[in-house]
């Protein structure tokens, strides 16, 4: 029996003229994902679906590929199907459909559960097929009744569906639809840089942007120094490693927060947290220029902590020209935690971590004004450009590709590692 993976994309179908470009990118992202798990399989479009050819893999390998592909942004749902090539079976030209009945009987026996109901769904994309969809559904349901223990049909809310799809290329049969995450394929809507901290919020924010088609890189301001030898074990690096299963290729820039901290220590300034936020934005903007990122992303959530006020958001926005996106602004914490569990990030994100924001301010200012902060910065942090340069000069860069570290570099290194 031949297998294939059939992929449906929902939203992409709405994209009008851009549609072909989006579908092309989705196929490319699917190919990359498959390659990352060792499969050089063909991925091609037929009408409004994408087919993955499975040359000679075991069913288990094929099922694993389905669950990996389900994480690729842009996919509405997908299925592992049994495939009857039209060139061999000629069902549309009126050849006997007994092989479909035989397979359905086999699948019925495999899937039967006491007390459950079933339904058969037939779709004919090629109307030359000699039977109407309804007649074929009835005929296949009769086969199921006769050859298995299934005894109850529920057309709308069946526990088990049997799907048959007749197209001019071939006929697919399957029993299981796996939901994808929807959205748009990575790299179709631009590049963003995400401010990544040690909590639950910013990794979920990054995932949301990737699922909206963005390529995502990361920047973290670290309170401690990590040598290149142990950096992979660092919580932040492990979060990026895990996220890169979805984002594909992602860079992580780790910069020290110490220079800014020292500068603040010398002053006795109120507003230290919001001043730091502005500093993070400015350092990030320099990196964004280098990597061609169109926006900065944070995990800010309105009112979640005392500092996350509209005033402070505004003060941070005014520090740089690039837009700052906050995809979690209106989320409830529970939804964020659920999403992080779904993304297999919950365990790593809940590990204790001393983020520098927590070190800075126990009772941060809830209100701030750009003009006041600007004056403060001019008066008390007059070597601002030096602060930015000193911080950037100590950047450690890691690059992950689908869960694998492919490059690491410390400030001053000529060579790349890995
Ligand atoms: P998170 O759950 O993402 O840690 P949080 O609820 O702890 O967020 P804050 O600590 O106030 O909130 O941080 C708000 C946002 O600022 C974070 O979501 C992140 O985008 C950014 N941020 C905070 N600390 C850092 C850091 N050390 N490096 C980079 N970005 C940071
Ligand atoms: Mg935090």
């Amino acid at each position: 029996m031949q297998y294939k993976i059939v992929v449906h994309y929902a939203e992409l179908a709405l994209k009008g003229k851009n549609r072909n470009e989006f579908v092309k990118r989705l196929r490319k992202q699917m190919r990359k994902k498959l390659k990352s798990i060792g499969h050089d399989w063909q991925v091609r479009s037929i009408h409004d679906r994408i087919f993955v050819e499975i040359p000679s893999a075991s069913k288990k390998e094929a099922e694993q590929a389905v669950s990996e592909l389900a994480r690729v942004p842009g996919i509405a749902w997908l299925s592992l199907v049994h495939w009857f090539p039209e060139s061999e079976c000629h069902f549309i030209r009126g050849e006997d459909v007994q092989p479909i009945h035989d397979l359905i009987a086999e699948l019925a026996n495999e899937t039967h559960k006491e007390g459950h109901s079933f339904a058969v769904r037939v779709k004919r994309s090629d109307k030359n097929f000699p039977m109407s969809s309804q007649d074929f559904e009835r005929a296949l349901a009769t086969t199921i009744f006769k050859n298995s223990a299934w005894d109850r049909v529920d057309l709308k809310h069946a526990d088990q569906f049997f799907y048959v799809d007749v197209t001019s290329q071939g006929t697919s049969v399957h029993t299981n639809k796996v939901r994808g995450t929807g959205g748009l394929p990575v790299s179709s809507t631009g590049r963003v840089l995400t401010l990544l901290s040690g909590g639950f919020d910013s990794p979920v924010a990054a995932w949301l942007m990737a699922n909206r088609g963005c390529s995502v890189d990361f920047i973290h301001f670290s309170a401690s120094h990590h040598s290149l030898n142990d950096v992979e074990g660092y919580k932040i690096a492990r979060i990026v490693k895990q996220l890169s299963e979805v984002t594909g290729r992602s860079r992580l820039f780790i910069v020290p927060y110490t220079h800014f901290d020292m500068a603040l220590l010398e002053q006795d300034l109120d507003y230290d947290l919001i001043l730091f936020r502005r500093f993070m934005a400015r350092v990030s903007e320099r990196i964004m220029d280098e990597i061609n990122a169109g926006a900065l992303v944070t995990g800010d959530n309105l009112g979640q902590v005392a500092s996350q006020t509209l005033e402070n958001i505004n003060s941070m926005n005014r520090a740089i020209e690039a837009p700052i996106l906050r995809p979690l602004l209106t989320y409830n914490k529970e939804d964020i935690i659920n999403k992080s569990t779904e993304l297999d990030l919950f365990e790593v994100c809940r590990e204790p971590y001393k983020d520098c924001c927590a070190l800075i301010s126990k009772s941060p200012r809830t209100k701030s004004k750009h003009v006041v902060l600007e004056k403060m910065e001019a008066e008390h942090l007059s070597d601002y450009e030096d602060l930015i340069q000193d911080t950037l000069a100590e950047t450690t860069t890691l690059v992950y590709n689908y869960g694998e570290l492919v490059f690491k570099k410390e400030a001053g290194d000529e060579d790349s590692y890995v």
Side-chain angles (χ1 to χ4, degrees):
M1 184 81 241
Q2 242 176 291
Y3 289 108
K4 272 185 207 294
I5 297 170
V6 181
V7 171
H8 288 240
Y9 39 88
E11 195 170 357
L12 297 185
L14 305 173
K15 287 286 163 190
K17 265 200 218 153
N18 290 335
R19 198 180 131 188
N20 282 348
E21 189 55 34
F22 280 110
V23 175
K24 211 165 103 190
R25 280 178 202 264
L26 178 55
R27 287 197 308 261
K28 192 168 164 196
Q29 296 301 329
M30 288 170 57
R31 266 184 219 115
K32 284 189 188 173
K33 183 66 176 171
L34 288 166
K35 223 171 193 156
S36 78
I37 54 168
H39 301 311
D40 206 359
W41 292 346
Q42 223 190 71
V43 177
R44 61 197 181 108
S45 289
I46 299 178
H47 304 301
D48 56 354
R49 270 156 256 184
I50 295 176
F51 285 78
V52 179
E53 308 292 337
I54 305 178
S56 60
S58 68
K59 188 165 183 211
K60 202 159 160 236
E61 271 182 310
E63 280 168 348
Q64 190 218 354
V66 167
S67 58
E68 286 294 330
L69 286 172
R71 296 203 270 173
V72 174
I75 293 176
W77 60 269
L78 70 170
S79 305
L80 181 62
V81 305
H82 299 258
W83 182 254
F84 298 93
E86 182 57 23
S87 56
E88 292 168 22
C89 301
H90 310 298
F91 296 143
I92 291 170
R93 277 197 257 143
E95 203 74 21
D96 189 8
V97 291
Q98 189 56 39
I100 301 179
H101 284 275
D102 293 345
L103 176 62
I104 284 281
E106 197 183 312
L107 293 173
N109 281 303
E110 268 174 30
T111 53
H112 176 256
K113 282 206 184 80
E114 205 51 53
H116 278 194
S117 57
F118 79 93
V120 182
R121 290 270 157 90
V122 171
K123 212 174 135 193
R124 289 181 317 160
S125 324
D126 193 311
K127 306 290 178 215
N128 291 320
F129 185 66
M131 225 187 295
S132 78
S133 300
Q134 271 193 351
D135 286 346
F136 198 23
E137 278 172 3
R138 272 191 222 110
L140 291 171
T142 306
T143 295
I144 291 174
F145 278 127
K146 275 195 192 150
N147 295 283
S148 72
W150 286 100
D151 57 5
R152 191 159 61 87
V153 168
D154 184 337
L155 288 180
K156 280 217 171 99
H157 306 289
D159 299 302
Q160 177 67 61
F161 284 95
F162 296 85
Y163 300 96
V164 178
D165 193 353
V166 186
T167 76
S168 52
Q169 303 272 327
T171 296
S172 69
V173 178
H174 70 100
T175 53
N176 193 16
K177 281 186 178 183
V178 177
R179 270 178 79 93
T181 58
L184 302 169
V186 166
S187 89
S188 62
T189 57
R191 178 173 297 282
V192 295
L193 181 66
T194 298
L195 272 164
L196 186 68
S197 54
F200 286 101
D201 302 339
S202 38
V204 173
W207 178 85
L208 284 169
M209 296 309 296
N211 209 57
R212 261 346 270 180
C214 286
S215 303
V216 183
D217 291 313
F218 300 88
I219 179 167
H220 175 68
F221 289 74
S222 174
S224 49
H225 179 75
H226 288 264
S227 84
L228 270 192
N229 293 331
D230 65 14
V231 74
E232 286 160 64
Y234 187 31
K235 175 176 181 179
I236 300 296
R238 283 183 285 128
I239 292 175
V240 174
K241 175 183 160 78
Q242 173 69 13
L243 276 167
S244 74
E245 294 279 356
V246 174
T247 59
R249 192 177 177 84
S250 278
R251 284 167 283 199
L252 165 62
F253 305 100
I254 304 172
V255 294
Y257 119 102
T258 36
H259 297 287
F260 191 80
D261 186 40
M262 300 288 276
L264 270 189
L265 270 183
E266 290 162 17
Q267 319 287 334
D268 187 18
L269 290 185
D270 215 345
Y271 294 100
D272 42 7
L273 186 60
I274 182 63
L275 287 172
F276 180 57
R277 290 265 168 84
R278 285 157 69 89
F279 180 69
M280 288 201 294
R282 288 182 178 123
V283 172
S284 302
E285 198 175 36
R286 301 297 171 91
I287 292 183
M288 289 166 68
D289 286 345
E290 297 227 331
I291 64 174
N292 243 328
L296 187 62
V297 175
T298 80
D300 281 320
N301 186 249
L302 193 59
Q304 189 195 82
V305 292
S307 63
Q308 291 177 343
T309 61
L310 289 178
E311 288 84 351
N312 286 351
I313 285 173
N314 192 30
S315 294
M316 185 174 175
N317 288 356
R318 303 270 310 257
I320 59 172
E321 285 191 5
I324 302 179
L325 307 179
R326 299 174 172 85
L328 294 179
L329 199 69
T330 60
Y331 273 51
N332 295 321
K333 192 74 189 182
E334 197 190 338
D335 299 330
I336 297 171
I337 300 281
N338 288 344
K339 194 73 221 176
S340 99
T341 308
E342 231 175 80
L343 298 173
D344 267 344
L345 283 165
F346 181 81
E347 289 303 329
V348 56
C349 288
R350 77 177 199 167
E351 287 174 20
Y353 182 74
K354 274 211 173 62
D355 186 39
C356 46
C357 279
L359 300 175
I360 290 176
S361 192
K362 291 268 173 293
S363 50
R365 285 280 186 153
T366 54
K367 292 208 159 112
S368 63
K369 268 208 167 106
H370 173 64
V371 281
V372 176
L373 295 167
E374 209 172 28
K375 235 170 128 186
M376 229 179 241
E377 285 161 349
E379 272 177 35
H380 300 281
L381 298 166
S382 51
D383 298 330
Y384 211 103
E385 183 57 29
D386 284 351
L387 277 183
I388 292 179
Q389 292 307 331
D390 290 348
T391 301
L392 285 171
E394 286 179 38
T395 308
T396 297
T397 309
L398 305 183
V399 183
Y400 283 91
N401 190 47
Y402 292 97
E404 203 187 324
L405 182 67
V406 293
F407 177 92
K408 60 178 172 176
K409 181 174 189 281
E410 208 166 26
D413 277 355
E414 291 292 326
D415 301 313
S416 58
Y417 296 79
V418 181

